[in-house]
Each structure stands twice: as C-alpha cells, then as structure tokens.
Short mmCIF file of all heavy atoms in Angstrom, two decimals:
data_model
loop_
_atom_site.label_atom_id
_atom_site.label_comp_id
_atom_site.label_asym_id
_atom_site.label_seq_id
_atom_site.Cartn_x
_atom_site.Cartn_y
_atom_site.Cartn_z
N MET A 1 -62.86 21.42 29.85
CA MET A 1 -62.25 21.13 28.56
C MET A 1 -62.93 19.91 27.94
O MET A 1 -63.18 18.91 28.58
CB MET A 1 -60.77 20.86 28.74
CG MET A 1 -60.10 20.42 27.46
SD MET A 1 -58.36 20.04 27.69
CE MET A 1 -58.42 18.29 27.42
N ARG A 2 -63.22 20.00 26.68
CA ARG A 2 -63.78 18.88 25.94
C ARG A 2 -62.64 18.03 25.39
O ARG A 2 -61.63 18.54 24.96
CB ARG A 2 -64.62 19.38 24.78
CG ARG A 2 -65.87 20.06 25.21
CD ARG A 2 -66.85 20.02 24.07
NE ARG A 2 -68.03 20.74 24.40
CZ ARG A 2 -69.09 20.20 24.97
NH1 ARG A 2 -69.11 18.94 25.28
NH2 ARG A 2 -70.14 20.93 25.24
N LYS A 3 -62.86 16.74 25.41
CA LYS A 3 -61.87 15.85 24.79
C LYS A 3 -62.15 15.77 23.31
O LYS A 3 -63.30 15.64 22.89
CB LYS A 3 -61.94 14.46 25.42
CG LYS A 3 -61.44 14.46 26.83
CD LYS A 3 -61.32 13.06 27.34
CE LYS A 3 -60.77 13.12 28.74
NZ LYS A 3 -60.46 11.81 29.26
N MET A 4 -61.10 15.86 22.54
CA MET A 4 -61.24 15.80 21.10
C MET A 4 -61.45 14.35 20.67
O MET A 4 -60.75 13.45 21.13
CB MET A 4 -59.99 16.37 20.44
CG MET A 4 -60.19 16.70 19.00
SD MET A 4 -58.89 17.75 18.34
CE MET A 4 -57.48 16.73 18.44
N SER A 5 -62.41 14.13 19.82
CA SER A 5 -62.66 12.80 19.29
C SER A 5 -61.49 12.37 18.41
O SER A 5 -60.91 13.18 17.69
CB SER A 5 -63.95 12.83 18.45
OG SER A 5 -64.08 11.64 17.73
N THR A 6 -61.15 11.11 18.47
CA THR A 6 -60.03 10.63 17.65
C THR A 6 -60.38 10.60 16.17
O THR A 6 -59.49 10.58 15.33
CB THR A 6 -59.60 9.22 18.10
OG1 THR A 6 -60.73 8.34 18.03
CG2 THR A 6 -59.04 9.24 19.50
N GLU A 7 -61.65 10.62 15.85
CA GLU A 7 -62.05 10.59 14.44
C GLU A 7 -62.21 11.98 13.82
O GLU A 7 -62.42 12.11 12.64
CB GLU A 7 -63.33 9.78 14.26
CG GLU A 7 -64.51 10.36 15.01
CD GLU A 7 -65.64 9.37 15.18
OE1 GLU A 7 -65.39 8.24 15.57
OE2 GLU A 7 -66.78 9.77 14.90
N HIS A 8 -62.11 13.02 14.65
CA HIS A 8 -62.23 14.39 14.15
C HIS A 8 -60.95 15.17 14.41
O HIS A 8 -60.37 15.08 15.48
CB HIS A 8 -63.41 15.11 14.82
CG HIS A 8 -64.72 14.48 14.50
ND1 HIS A 8 -65.39 13.70 15.39
CD2 HIS A 8 -65.46 14.51 13.38
CE1 HIS A 8 -66.51 13.27 14.84
NE2 HIS A 8 -66.58 13.75 13.61
N THR A 9 -60.55 15.95 13.42
CA THR A 9 -59.36 16.78 13.54
C THR A 9 -59.76 18.18 14.01
O THR A 9 -60.95 18.54 13.95
CB THR A 9 -58.65 16.90 12.18
OG1 THR A 9 -59.49 17.66 11.30
CG2 THR A 9 -58.33 15.54 11.60
N PRO A 10 -58.80 19.00 14.42
CA PRO A 10 -59.13 20.39 14.76
C PRO A 10 -59.82 21.12 13.60
O PRO A 10 -60.66 21.99 13.82
CB PRO A 10 -57.77 21.01 15.09
CG PRO A 10 -56.98 19.86 15.62
CD PRO A 10 -57.42 18.69 14.77
N ASP A 11 -59.50 20.74 12.37
CA ASP A 11 -60.15 21.37 11.21
C ASP A 11 -61.65 21.06 11.18
O ASP A 11 -62.44 21.91 10.77
CB ASP A 11 -59.51 20.89 9.90
CG ASP A 11 -58.12 21.48 9.70
OD1 ASP A 11 -57.81 22.51 10.32
OD2 ASP A 11 -57.34 20.88 8.93
N HIS A 12 -62.04 19.88 11.60
CA HIS A 12 -63.47 19.53 11.67
C HIS A 12 -64.18 20.44 12.67
O HIS A 12 -65.27 20.96 12.40
CB HIS A 12 -63.66 18.07 12.08
CG HIS A 12 -63.33 17.10 11.02
ND1 HIS A 12 -62.22 16.28 11.11
CD2 HIS A 12 -63.95 16.78 9.86
CE1 HIS A 12 -62.18 15.51 10.05
NE2 HIS A 12 -63.20 15.80 9.26
N TYR A 13 -63.57 20.60 13.84
CA TYR A 13 -64.16 21.46 14.87
C TYR A 13 -64.21 22.90 14.40
O TYR A 13 -65.20 23.61 14.62
CB TYR A 13 -63.37 21.35 16.18
CG TYR A 13 -63.56 20.01 16.84
CD1 TYR A 13 -62.63 18.99 16.65
CD2 TYR A 13 -64.66 19.76 17.65
CE1 TYR A 13 -62.80 17.75 17.26
CE2 TYR A 13 -64.84 18.52 18.26
CZ TYR A 13 -63.91 17.52 18.05
OH TYR A 13 -64.09 16.31 18.64
N PHE A 14 -63.15 23.36 13.74
CA PHE A 14 -63.11 24.73 13.22
C PHE A 14 -64.26 24.95 12.23
O PHE A 14 -64.97 25.95 12.31
CB PHE A 14 -61.76 25.00 12.55
CG PHE A 14 -61.64 26.39 12.02
CD1 PHE A 14 -61.28 27.43 12.85
CD2 PHE A 14 -61.88 26.66 10.68
CE1 PHE A 14 -61.16 28.73 12.37
CE2 PHE A 14 -61.76 27.95 10.19
CZ PHE A 14 -61.41 28.98 11.03
N ALA A 15 -64.44 24.02 11.32
CA ALA A 15 -65.50 24.16 10.32
C ALA A 15 -66.88 24.19 10.97
O ALA A 15 -67.74 25.00 10.60
CB ALA A 15 -65.42 23.01 9.31
N ALA A 16 -67.08 23.33 11.95
CA ALA A 16 -68.38 23.31 12.65
C ALA A 16 -68.61 24.63 13.38
O ALA A 16 -69.72 25.19 13.35
CB ALA A 16 -68.43 22.14 13.62
N LEU A 17 -67.58 25.15 14.01
CA LEU A 17 -67.72 26.42 14.72
C LEU A 17 -67.95 27.58 13.76
O LEU A 17 -68.66 28.53 14.10
CB LEU A 17 -66.49 26.67 15.59
CG LEU A 17 -66.36 25.74 16.80
CD1 LEU A 17 -65.00 25.90 17.46
CD2 LEU A 17 -67.48 25.98 17.80
N LYS A 18 -67.40 27.51 12.57
CA LYS A 18 -67.66 28.55 11.56
C LYS A 18 -69.13 28.53 11.15
O LYS A 18 -69.74 29.58 10.92
CB LYS A 18 -66.75 28.39 10.34
CG LYS A 18 -65.38 28.98 10.53
CD LYS A 18 -65.51 30.48 10.77
CE LYS A 18 -64.21 31.22 10.72
NZ LYS A 18 -64.38 32.66 10.95
N LEU A 19 -69.70 27.35 11.05
CA LEU A 19 -71.13 27.25 10.73
C LEU A 19 -71.97 27.84 11.87
O LEU A 19 -72.95 28.55 11.63
CB LEU A 19 -71.54 25.80 10.48
CG LEU A 19 -70.98 25.17 9.21
CD1 LEU A 19 -71.27 23.68 9.18
CD2 LEU A 19 -71.55 25.86 7.98
N ILE A 20 -71.56 27.57 13.11
CA ILE A 20 -72.26 28.14 14.26
C ILE A 20 -72.08 29.65 14.29
O ILE A 20 -73.02 30.39 14.61
CB ILE A 20 -71.77 27.48 15.56
CG1 ILE A 20 -72.15 25.99 15.56
CG2 ILE A 20 -72.35 28.18 16.79
CD1 ILE A 20 -71.50 25.17 16.64
N GLU A 21 -70.90 30.13 13.90
CA GLU A 21 -70.66 31.57 13.82
C GLU A 21 -71.66 32.21 12.84
O GLU A 21 -72.19 33.29 13.11
CB GLU A 21 -69.24 31.85 13.36
CG GLU A 21 -68.93 33.32 13.19
CD GLU A 21 -67.53 33.56 12.65
OE1 GLU A 21 -67.15 32.89 11.66
OE2 GLU A 21 -66.83 34.41 13.21
N GLN A 22 -71.92 31.55 11.74
CA GLN A 22 -72.88 32.10 10.77
C GLN A 22 -74.28 32.16 11.36
O GLN A 22 -75.02 33.12 11.11
CB GLN A 22 -72.87 31.27 9.48
CG GLN A 22 -73.65 31.92 8.37
CD GLN A 22 -73.14 33.32 8.01
OE1 GLN A 22 -71.96 33.49 7.77
NE2 GLN A 22 -74.02 34.30 7.98
N LEU A 23 -74.65 31.17 12.16
CA LEU A 23 -75.95 31.23 12.85
C LEU A 23 -76.01 32.47 13.75
O LEU A 23 -77.04 33.14 13.82
CB LEU A 23 -76.17 29.97 13.69
CG LEU A 23 -76.45 28.69 12.93
CD1 LEU A 23 -76.48 27.51 13.91
CD2 LEU A 23 -77.75 28.78 12.16
N HIS A 24 -74.90 32.75 14.42
CA HIS A 24 -74.85 33.93 15.28
C HIS A 24 -74.99 35.21 14.44
O HIS A 24 -75.78 36.10 14.77
CB HIS A 24 -73.53 33.94 16.06
CG HIS A 24 -73.24 35.24 16.72
ND1 HIS A 24 -74.07 35.80 17.66
CD2 HIS A 24 -72.21 36.10 16.56
CE1 HIS A 24 -73.56 36.97 18.05
NE2 HIS A 24 -72.43 37.16 17.39
N LYS A 25 -74.26 35.29 13.35
CA LYS A 25 -74.33 36.48 12.48
C LYS A 25 -75.73 36.67 11.89
O LYS A 25 -76.17 37.79 11.67
CB LYS A 25 -73.31 36.38 11.36
CG LYS A 25 -71.89 36.57 11.83
CD LYS A 25 -70.90 36.44 10.69
CE LYS A 25 -69.49 36.67 11.17
NZ LYS A 25 -68.51 36.53 10.08
N ASP A 26 -76.42 35.55 11.66
CA ASP A 26 -77.79 35.61 11.13
C ASP A 26 -78.83 35.90 12.21
O ASP A 26 -80.02 35.98 11.92
CB ASP A 26 -78.14 34.29 10.44
CG ASP A 26 -77.36 34.07 9.15
OD1 ASP A 26 -76.76 35.03 8.63
OD2 ASP A 26 -77.32 32.91 8.68
N GLY A 27 -78.38 36.01 13.45
CA GLY A 27 -79.29 36.32 14.55
C GLY A 27 -80.02 35.12 15.12
O GLY A 27 -80.96 35.28 15.89
N GLU A 28 -79.61 33.94 14.74
CA GLU A 28 -80.28 32.72 15.21
C GLU A 28 -79.84 32.32 16.61
O GLU A 28 -80.60 31.65 17.32
CB GLU A 28 -80.04 31.57 14.24
CG GLU A 28 -80.57 31.81 12.85
CD GLU A 28 -82.09 31.95 12.81
OE1 GLU A 28 -82.78 31.25 13.58
OE2 GLU A 28 -82.58 32.77 12.01
N ILE A 29 -78.62 32.69 17.01
CA ILE A 29 -78.16 32.45 18.38
C ILE A 29 -77.53 33.72 18.92
O ILE A 29 -76.98 34.53 18.17
CB ILE A 29 -77.17 31.26 18.48
CG1 ILE A 29 -75.89 31.51 17.69
CG2 ILE A 29 -77.82 29.96 18.05
CD1 ILE A 29 -74.81 30.47 17.91
N SER A 30 -77.62 33.91 20.22
CA SER A 30 -77.13 35.14 20.85
C SER A 30 -75.61 35.15 20.95
O SER A 30 -74.95 34.10 20.85
CB SER A 30 -77.73 35.27 22.25
OG SER A 30 -77.18 34.26 23.10
N ALA A 31 -75.06 36.34 21.20
CA ALA A 31 -73.62 36.47 21.41
C ALA A 31 -73.18 35.66 22.62
O ALA A 31 -72.14 35.00 22.60
CB ALA A 31 -73.26 37.95 21.59
N GLU A 32 -73.98 35.69 23.67
CA GLU A 32 -73.65 34.94 24.88
C GLU A 32 -73.59 33.44 24.60
O GLU A 32 -72.66 32.75 25.04
CB GLU A 32 -74.67 35.22 25.98
CG GLU A 32 -74.38 34.49 27.26
CD GLU A 32 -75.40 34.75 28.34
OE1 GLU A 32 -76.35 35.53 28.12
OE2 GLU A 32 -75.25 34.18 29.42
N MET A 33 -74.54 32.93 23.87
CA MET A 33 -74.55 31.51 23.53
C MET A 33 -73.33 31.15 22.68
O MET A 33 -72.68 30.13 22.91
CB MET A 33 -75.84 31.14 22.79
CG MET A 33 -75.98 29.66 22.50
SD MET A 33 -77.49 29.25 21.61
CE MET A 33 -78.72 29.67 22.83
N PHE A 34 -73.02 31.99 21.70
CA PHE A 34 -71.88 31.73 20.83
C PHE A 34 -70.58 31.75 21.63
O PHE A 34 -69.72 30.90 21.45
CB PHE A 34 -71.85 32.73 19.68
CG PHE A 34 -70.79 32.48 18.66
CD1 PHE A 34 -70.55 31.20 18.18
CD2 PHE A 34 -70.02 33.51 18.17
CE1 PHE A 34 -69.56 30.96 17.23
CE2 PHE A 34 -69.03 33.29 17.22
CZ PHE A 34 -68.80 32.00 16.77
N ARG A 35 -70.44 32.72 22.54
CA ARG A 35 -69.24 32.78 23.40
C ARG A 35 -69.09 31.50 24.21
O ARG A 35 -67.99 30.97 24.34
CB ARG A 35 -69.33 33.97 24.36
CG ARG A 35 -68.84 35.25 23.81
CD ARG A 35 -68.75 36.32 24.90
NE ARG A 35 -68.85 37.60 24.28
CZ ARG A 35 -69.98 38.31 24.18
NH1 ARG A 35 -71.10 37.89 24.71
NH2 ARG A 35 -69.98 39.47 23.56
N ASN A 36 -70.19 31.03 24.78
CA ASN A 36 -70.14 29.80 25.58
C ASN A 36 -69.71 28.60 24.74
O ASN A 36 -68.94 27.76 25.20
CB ASN A 36 -71.48 29.55 26.25
CG ASN A 36 -71.76 30.52 27.36
OD1 ASN A 36 -70.85 31.09 27.96
ND2 ASN A 36 -73.04 30.74 27.65
N ILE A 37 -70.22 28.51 23.54
CA ILE A 37 -69.84 27.41 22.65
C ILE A 37 -68.35 27.50 22.34
O ILE A 37 -67.63 26.50 22.41
CB ILE A 37 -70.68 27.43 21.36
CG1 ILE A 37 -72.15 27.11 21.67
CG2 ILE A 37 -70.12 26.45 20.32
CD1 ILE A 37 -73.10 27.38 20.53
N LEU A 38 -67.87 28.69 22.00
CA LEU A 38 -66.45 28.86 21.69
C LEU A 38 -65.56 28.50 22.87
O LEU A 38 -64.52 27.86 22.69
CB LEU A 38 -66.17 30.29 21.24
CG LEU A 38 -66.68 30.68 19.86
CD1 LEU A 38 -66.41 32.16 19.60
CD2 LEU A 38 -66.09 29.82 18.77
N ARG A 39 -65.98 28.89 24.07
CA ARG A 39 -65.18 28.57 25.26
C ARG A 39 -64.98 27.06 25.40
O ARG A 39 -63.93 26.62 25.87
CB ARG A 39 -65.86 29.11 26.51
CG ARG A 39 -65.58 30.55 26.75
CD ARG A 39 -66.10 31.01 28.11
NE ARG A 39 -66.34 32.42 28.03
CZ ARG A 39 -67.52 33.00 28.16
NH1 ARG A 39 -68.59 32.30 28.45
NH2 ARG A 39 -67.63 34.30 28.04
N ASN A 40 -65.98 26.29 25.03
CA ASN A 40 -65.89 24.83 25.14
C ASN A 40 -64.80 24.25 24.25
O ASN A 40 -64.32 23.15 24.51
CB ASN A 40 -67.22 24.18 24.80
CG ASN A 40 -68.26 24.39 25.87
OD1 ASN A 40 -67.94 24.52 27.05
ND2 ASN A 40 -69.51 24.44 25.47
N TYR A 41 -64.43 24.96 23.20
CA TYR A 41 -63.46 24.44 22.23
C TYR A 41 -62.19 25.28 22.16
O TYR A 41 -61.42 25.16 21.21
CB TYR A 41 -64.12 24.33 20.85
CG TYR A 41 -65.24 23.32 20.89
CD1 TYR A 41 -66.56 23.72 21.12
CD2 TYR A 41 -64.98 21.97 20.75
CE1 TYR A 41 -67.58 22.79 21.21
CE2 TYR A 41 -66.01 21.03 20.83
CZ TYR A 41 -67.29 21.45 21.06
OH TYR A 41 -68.30 20.52 21.15
N ALA A 42 -61.95 26.10 23.16
CA ALA A 42 -60.82 27.02 23.15
C ALA A 42 -59.47 26.32 23.08
O ALA A 42 -58.52 26.88 22.53
CB ALA A 42 -60.87 27.92 24.39
N GLU A 43 -59.38 25.13 23.58
CA GLU A 43 -58.11 24.42 23.56
C GLU A 43 -57.90 23.63 22.26
O GLU A 43 -56.83 23.08 22.05
CB GLU A 43 -58.01 23.48 24.76
CG GLU A 43 -57.95 24.25 26.06
CD GLU A 43 -57.74 23.37 27.26
OE1 GLU A 43 -57.30 22.22 27.09
OE2 GLU A 43 -58.03 23.83 28.36
N ILE A 44 -58.92 23.61 21.42
CA ILE A 44 -58.84 22.83 20.18
C ILE A 44 -58.65 23.72 18.96
O ILE A 44 -57.92 23.38 18.04
CB ILE A 44 -60.11 21.96 20.01
CG1 ILE A 44 -60.22 20.97 21.18
CG2 ILE A 44 -60.08 21.20 18.69
CD1 ILE A 44 -61.52 20.21 21.22
N VAL A 45 -59.31 24.88 18.95
CA VAL A 45 -59.25 25.77 17.79
C VAL A 45 -58.76 27.16 18.20
O VAL A 45 -58.83 27.54 19.37
CB VAL A 45 -60.62 25.90 17.08
CG1 VAL A 45 -61.08 24.57 16.55
CG2 VAL A 45 -61.66 26.49 17.99
N ASP A 46 -58.29 27.93 17.23
CA ASP A 46 -57.83 29.29 17.44
C ASP A 46 -59.04 30.23 17.43
O ASP A 46 -59.62 30.49 16.37
CB ASP A 46 -56.84 29.67 16.34
CG ASP A 46 -56.34 31.09 16.44
OD1 ASP A 46 -56.64 31.78 17.45
OD2 ASP A 46 -55.62 31.51 15.51
N LEU A 47 -59.41 30.72 18.59
CA LEU A 47 -60.61 31.55 18.70
C LEU A 47 -60.45 32.93 18.08
O LEU A 47 -61.44 33.62 17.86
CB LEU A 47 -61.03 31.68 20.16
CG LEU A 47 -61.39 30.37 20.86
CD1 LEU A 47 -61.90 30.67 22.27
CD2 LEU A 47 -62.41 29.56 20.08
N SER A 48 -59.24 33.33 17.75
CA SER A 48 -59.03 34.64 17.14
C SER A 48 -59.61 34.70 15.73
O SER A 48 -59.73 35.79 15.16
CB SER A 48 -57.55 35.00 17.12
OG SER A 48 -56.84 34.19 16.20
N LYS A 49 -59.98 33.58 15.19
CA LYS A 49 -60.53 33.51 13.83
C LYS A 49 -62.05 33.69 13.80
O LYS A 49 -62.67 33.57 12.75
CB LYS A 49 -60.19 32.17 13.17
CG LYS A 49 -58.70 31.87 13.15
CD LYS A 49 -57.94 32.84 12.30
CE LYS A 49 -56.48 32.46 12.26
NZ LYS A 49 -55.68 33.46 11.63
N PHE A 50 -62.65 33.98 14.95
CA PHE A 50 -64.10 34.10 15.05
C PHE A 50 -64.49 35.50 15.47
O PHE A 50 -63.77 36.17 16.20
CB PHE A 50 -64.65 33.07 16.06
CG PHE A 50 -64.42 31.66 15.63
CD1 PHE A 50 -63.26 30.99 16.00
CD2 PHE A 50 -65.32 31.01 14.82
CE1 PHE A 50 -63.03 29.69 15.60
CE2 PHE A 50 -65.09 29.71 14.41
CZ PHE A 50 -63.94 29.05 14.79
N THR A 51 -65.66 35.93 15.00
CA THR A 51 -66.19 37.25 15.30
C THR A 51 -67.49 37.12 16.08
O THR A 51 -68.38 36.38 15.65
CB THR A 51 -66.47 38.03 14.00
OG1 THR A 51 -65.27 38.10 13.24
CG2 THR A 51 -66.97 39.42 14.29
N ILE A 52 -67.57 37.84 17.18
CA ILE A 52 -68.79 37.85 17.96
C ILE A 52 -69.39 39.25 17.83
O ILE A 52 -68.72 40.25 18.11
CB ILE A 52 -68.53 37.52 19.44
CG1 ILE A 52 -67.98 36.11 19.55
CG2 ILE A 52 -69.81 37.68 20.26
CD1 ILE A 52 -67.55 35.71 20.92
N ILE A 53 -70.62 39.31 17.40
CA ILE A 53 -71.32 40.58 17.24
C ILE A 53 -72.16 40.79 18.47
O ILE A 53 -73.09 40.03 18.75
CB ILE A 53 -72.21 40.57 15.98
CG1 ILE A 53 -71.36 40.31 14.75
CG2 ILE A 53 -72.99 41.88 15.87
CD1 ILE A 53 -72.17 40.02 13.50
N ASP A 54 -71.80 41.80 19.24
CA ASP A 54 -72.56 42.12 20.45
C ASP A 54 -73.93 42.62 20.03
O ASP A 54 -74.06 43.39 19.08
CB ASP A 54 -71.81 43.17 21.25
CG ASP A 54 -72.38 43.37 22.63
OD1 ASP A 54 -73.23 42.57 23.07
OD2 ASP A 54 -71.95 44.32 23.32
N GLU A 55 -74.97 42.18 20.73
CA GLU A 55 -76.33 42.57 20.37
C GLU A 55 -76.50 44.09 20.35
O GLU A 55 -77.22 44.63 19.53
CB GLU A 55 -77.34 41.96 21.35
CG GLU A 55 -77.71 40.53 21.04
CD GLU A 55 -76.69 39.53 21.56
OE1 GLU A 55 -75.81 39.89 22.38
OE2 GLU A 55 -76.75 38.38 21.13
N LYS A 56 -75.79 44.79 21.21
CA LYS A 56 -75.88 46.25 21.25
C LYS A 56 -75.36 46.86 19.96
O LYS A 56 -75.92 47.79 19.42
CB LYS A 56 -75.10 46.80 22.44
CG LYS A 56 -75.67 46.40 23.76
CD LYS A 56 -74.75 46.79 24.89
CE LYS A 56 -75.14 46.03 26.13
NZ LYS A 56 -74.05 45.90 27.07
N GLU A 57 -74.27 46.30 19.42
CA GLU A 57 -73.69 46.78 18.17
C GLU A 57 -74.59 46.42 16.99
O GLU A 57 -74.77 47.21 16.09
CB GLU A 57 -72.31 46.17 17.94
CG GLU A 57 -71.27 46.60 18.94
CD GLU A 57 -69.97 45.85 18.76
OE1 GLU A 57 -69.79 45.21 17.70
OE2 GLU A 57 -69.14 45.88 19.67
N GLY A 58 -75.13 45.22 17.01
CA GLY A 58 -75.95 44.75 15.90
C GLY A 58 -77.26 45.49 15.76
O GLY A 58 -77.85 45.54 14.70
N ALA A 59 -77.73 46.11 16.84
CA ALA A 59 -79.01 46.81 16.82
C ALA A 59 -78.90 48.17 16.15
O ALA A 59 -79.90 48.77 15.79
CB ALA A 59 -79.53 46.99 18.25
N ALA A 60 -77.71 48.69 15.96
CA ALA A 60 -77.52 50.02 15.39
C ALA A 60 -77.78 50.07 13.92
O ALA A 60 -77.85 49.18 13.19
CB ALA A 60 -76.10 50.50 15.68
#
C-alpha cells in the first residue's frame, strides 16, 4: 500500500491515474503495466472508474 501524501487528495491521484489510463488507451503502456499501477493506488481511488483494454481485444 502506498501512503497518501498530505498535500494531495484522492482527487489528485484519480486525475493522475486518468492521464495514465489515456496513455494505456493510446497504446503507450501495456495493460499489465496499467494494472500494476492501479493496484498501487487501490486503497486511495475507486478502480471501477478505469478501463483496461486487453491487448488481445485491442488487436481486433
């Protein structure tokens, strides 16, 4: 579990993760990498708000 910085709110983390999600959707980072990043922040943000595109699905 990552400790939340006192200067950042859960909304800050959510916004940063949304930007990382866009990198994943653009093909810049893999689904596995994105999943690992999300796992690090699972206790801070609601992960149900994120979409992971499996490489097998994206190739179709």
Side-chain angles (χ1 to χ4, degrees):
M1 175 182 112
R2 292 202 184 268
K3 290 189 178 187
M4 196 165 65
S5 169
T6 56
E7 61 197 47
H8 296 104
T9 68
D11 288 339
H12 287 110
Y13 290 96
F14 181 83
L17 290 170
K18 278 298 191 180
L19 291 171
I20 295 169
E21 178 184 47
Q22 190 58 52
L23 289 173
H24 167 60
K25 288 179 179 179
D26 291 344
E28 298 296 324
I29 62 172
S30 68
E32 180 181 359
M33 185 181 294
F34 185 44
R35 274 189 205 96
N36 289 335
I37 293 168
L38 288 176
R39 278 188 205 117
N40 288 330
Y41 296 94
E43 294 185 19
I44 299 172
V45 298
D46 178 7
L47 299 185
S48 70
K49 305 295 182 189
F50 296 91
T51 303
I52 297 174
I53 301 169
D54 191 10
E55 278 82 13
K56 295 172 197 156
E57 294 174 15

